[in-house]
């Protein structure tokens, strides 16, 4: 597992799954989130090393980014967060075309839209819609100037 550090958060990167996707564990010391849990939720829980997981962020609805979300949510009680556009594909209400591998549907606890501010612990993220890979792909931007402010 690789680790990076900036003044605001620690970032751990795990390369996982059959096509070696990046799974990110991001923490500000107050709260922890996992981004794109491809598969193997139990390995992700082990990597948390006792930390409480507050949120699971799904950047888009492809199987290799959400395949472990349902199990991770069940194991940790963390809320799942995804774009309002891709949420129906993650929850199983809609399906992607048949060329995509299936995954266990997962409830989405919070649906976000472009420009929304998402506060997890002391981290204030800006949601950026980045359609293309899927219609509802998102990125999260953390402005280091917002670090250390109290979460909502």
């Amino acid at each position: 597992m690789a680790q990076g550090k900036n003044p605001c958060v620690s970032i751990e990167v795990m390369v996982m799954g059959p096509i070696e996707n990046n799974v990110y564990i991001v923490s500000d010391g107050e709260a922890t989130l996992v981004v794109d849990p491809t598969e193997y939720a139990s390995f992700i829980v082990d990597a948390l090393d006792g930390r409480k997981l507050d949120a699971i962020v799904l950047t888009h609805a492809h199987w290799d980014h959400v395949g472990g979300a349902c199990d991770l949510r069940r194991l940790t009680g963390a809320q799942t967060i995804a774009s309002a556009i891709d949420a129906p594909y993650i929850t199983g209400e809609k399906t992607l075309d048949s060329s995509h591998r299936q995954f266990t549907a997962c409830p989405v606890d919070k649906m976000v839209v472009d420009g929304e501010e998402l506060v997890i612990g002391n981290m204030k993220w800006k949601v950026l819609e980045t359609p293309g890979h899927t219609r509802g792909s998102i990125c999260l931007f953390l402005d280091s100037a917002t670090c250390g402010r109290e979460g909502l």
Side-chain angles (χ1 to χ4, degrees), residues 3 10 13 17 20 22 26 35 48 50 55-56 60 63 72 76-77 83 99 107 109 114 128 135 139:
Q3 285 194 342
S10 69
V13 182
E20 299 184 331
N22 290 333
V26 182
V35 181
L48 290 169
I56 302 163
H60 64 283
W63 67 271
L72 189 59
T76 64
S83 75
S99 68
D109 301 299
D114 188 52
L128 304 171
R135 282 187 346 102
C139 292

Side-chain angles (χ1 to χ4, degrees), residues 22-33:
N22 290 333
V23 175
Y24 300 93
I25 299 174
V26 182
S27 179
D28 67 353
E30 185 80 21
T32 301
L33 62 105

Side-chain angles (χ1 to χ4, degrees), residues 102-136:
Q102 297 302 304
F103 57 86
T104 302
C106 183
V108 174
D109 301 299
K110 178 161 182 60
M111 290 181 257
V112 295
V113 297
D114 188 52
E116 184 172 340
E117 287 185 347
L118 180 62
V119 178
I120 302 168
N122 291 319
M123 299 173 281
K124 186 190 246 181
W125 301 90
K126 183 175 183 179
V127 177
L128 304 171
E129 287 182 359
T130 52
H133 198 56
T134 65
R135 282 187 346 102

